[in-house]
């Protein structure tokens, strides 16, 4: 760590203490941000942590929908998102109005929203899911038709794992679409002893070539437990920092160096410090939306 980072870290930790704050970071965050966090995890783990924390302030190092989920679960806490422009392009591919329209066309369908969606979209949904909980959530539903928003690729993957009839919204993650089957086939040739893990947001042709299809938290667990010493990792490359840190004896190869989520990288140590100093930008979901969105999030948390 450079002098500047050490200085910033010290200031952040002092301020964190005096504000009674907790720092939660997603697995895709910059290495230096992961290193100062109290907890690093996937979307499901982060929402579970947020729901349980007794801190007064949550500094959410991730993207907007994740901070909103924390606000949905913890209305009494101040939730800070150190860069308010850190959004998720996939979450923006479905709006509450667009969803209401589609629901009118599909009366009786149960709406399942991926956690990568706005609070307003969650408020229009029956149940929420994350990549770690998706199959379990869908399996638990007793419905003729399930409308799944917004990720068509996660939706497609789940539909191969259940008999349920799923109608898919045409959203996608631009970062995961940067991973192509040719990347995996080249790397498999180069590392014949390796295992390939990919995120279910990847296109089906990529998923078909994987040994394991896992959430980012699932990948961290798999990396610890597998006997394989080389892992080809098909997801956003921020996770490589954590994988290497936790498994110094193993080799982690990104499926594509281009799989970068620019939004996740907007959060920096400087912005975290500034955010704690100024107690802004705050993410707070309006109460009327929050109460409806909470029903969908709570339902997921009950199922998992
Ligand atoms: P995870 O819940 O697996 O961490 O995924 C979040 C995400 O945004 C993937 O792109
Ligand atoms: Fe959204 Fe994709 Fe970034 Fe995840 S990696 S936050 S789905 S754009």
């Amino acid at each position: 760590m450079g002098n500047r980072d050490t200085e910033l870290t010290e200031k952040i930790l002092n301020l964190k203490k005096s504000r009674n704050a907790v720092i939660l970071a997603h697995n895709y965050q910059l290495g230096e941000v992961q290193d100062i966090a109290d907890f690093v995890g996937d979307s499901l783990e982060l929402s579970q942590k947020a729901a349980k924390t007794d801190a007064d302030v949550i500094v959410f190092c991730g993207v907007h929908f994740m901070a909103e989920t924390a606000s949905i679960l913890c209305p009494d806490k101040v939730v800070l998102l150190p860069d308010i422009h850190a959004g998720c392009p996939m979450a923006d591919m479905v709006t509450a109005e667009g969803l209401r329209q589609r629901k009118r066309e599909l009366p009786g369908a149960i709406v399942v929203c991926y956690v990568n969606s706005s609070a307003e979209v969650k408020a229009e949904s029956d149940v929420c899911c994350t990549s770690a909980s998706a199959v379990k959530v869908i399996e638990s539903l007793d419905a003729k038709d399930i409308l799944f928003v917004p990720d068509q690729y996660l939706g497609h993957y789940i539909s191969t794992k259940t008999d349920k009839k799923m109608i898919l919204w045409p959203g996608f993650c631009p970062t995961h679409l940067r991973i192509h089957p040719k990347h995996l086939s080249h790397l498999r040739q180069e590392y014949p002893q390796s295992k390939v893990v990919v995120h279910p947001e990847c296109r089906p042709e990529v998923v078909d070539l994987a040994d394991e299809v896992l959430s980012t938290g699932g990948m961290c667990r798999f990396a610890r437990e597998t006997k394989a010493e080389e892992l080809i990792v098909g997801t956003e490359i921020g996770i490589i920092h954590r994988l290497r840190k936790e498994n110094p004896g193993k080799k982690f190869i990104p499926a594509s160096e281009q799989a970068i989520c620019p939004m996740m990288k907007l959060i920096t140590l400087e912005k975290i410090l500034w955010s704690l100093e100024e107690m802004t930008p705050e993410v707070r979901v309006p109460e009327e939306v929050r109460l409806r969105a909470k029903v969908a999030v709570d339902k997921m948390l009950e199922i998992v």
Side-chain angles (χ1 to χ4, degrees), residues 26 28 42-44 65-66 114 116 131 176 199 201 215-216:
H26 188 263
Y28 296 160
D42 68 15
S43 315
L44 178 62
F65 75 81
M66 296 178 177
Y114 189 21
N116 297 40
S131 59
H176 282 85
H199 197 276
E201 286 177 18
S215 73
T216 61

Side-chain angles (χ1 to χ4, degrees), residues 15-24 38 49-60 70 73-79 276 279:
L15 208 48
K16 189 183 79 159
K17 209 165 170 196
S18 59
R19 300 257 192 241
N20 188 25
V22 65
I23 302 180
L24 303 182
D38 295 291
K49 274 277 170 210
K52 284 198 192 125
T53 182
D54 51 16
D56 297 319
V57 178
I58 299 175
V59 183
F60 215 111
L73 292 167
C74 321
D76 302 337
K77 302 189 192 309
V78 174
V79 180
L276 270 168
M279 292 296 281

Side-chain angles (χ1 to χ4, degrees), residues 46-114:
L46 291 171
S47 56
Q48 286 167 327
K49 274 277 170 210
K52 284 198 192 125
T53 182
D54 51 16
D56 297 319
V57 178
I58 299 175
V59 183
F60 215 111
C61 304
V63 289
H64 194 265
F65 75 81
M66 296 178 177
E68 272 192 336
T69 307
S71 162
I72 290 167
L73 292 167
C74 321
D76 302 337
K77 302 189 192 309
V78 174
V79 180
L80 300 172
L81 178 64
D83 188 320
I84 202 66
H85 303 293
C88 165
M90 182 215 283
D92 295 340
M93 290 176 191
V94 57
T95 61
E97 184 44 36
L99 179 53
R100 278 193 289 271
Q101 246 178 47
R102 192 76 181 106
K103 278 164 65 174
R104 283 194 286 272
E105 293 162 9
L106 298 165
I110 287 200
V111 181
V112 181
C113 66
Y114 189 21

Side-chain angles (χ1 to χ4, degrees), residues 245-259:
K245 192 169 155 183
E246 291 183 352
N247 308 276
K250 295 184 180 175
K251 189 173 174 78
F252 297 96
I253 307 117
S256 165
E257 298 279 358
Q258 309 295 314

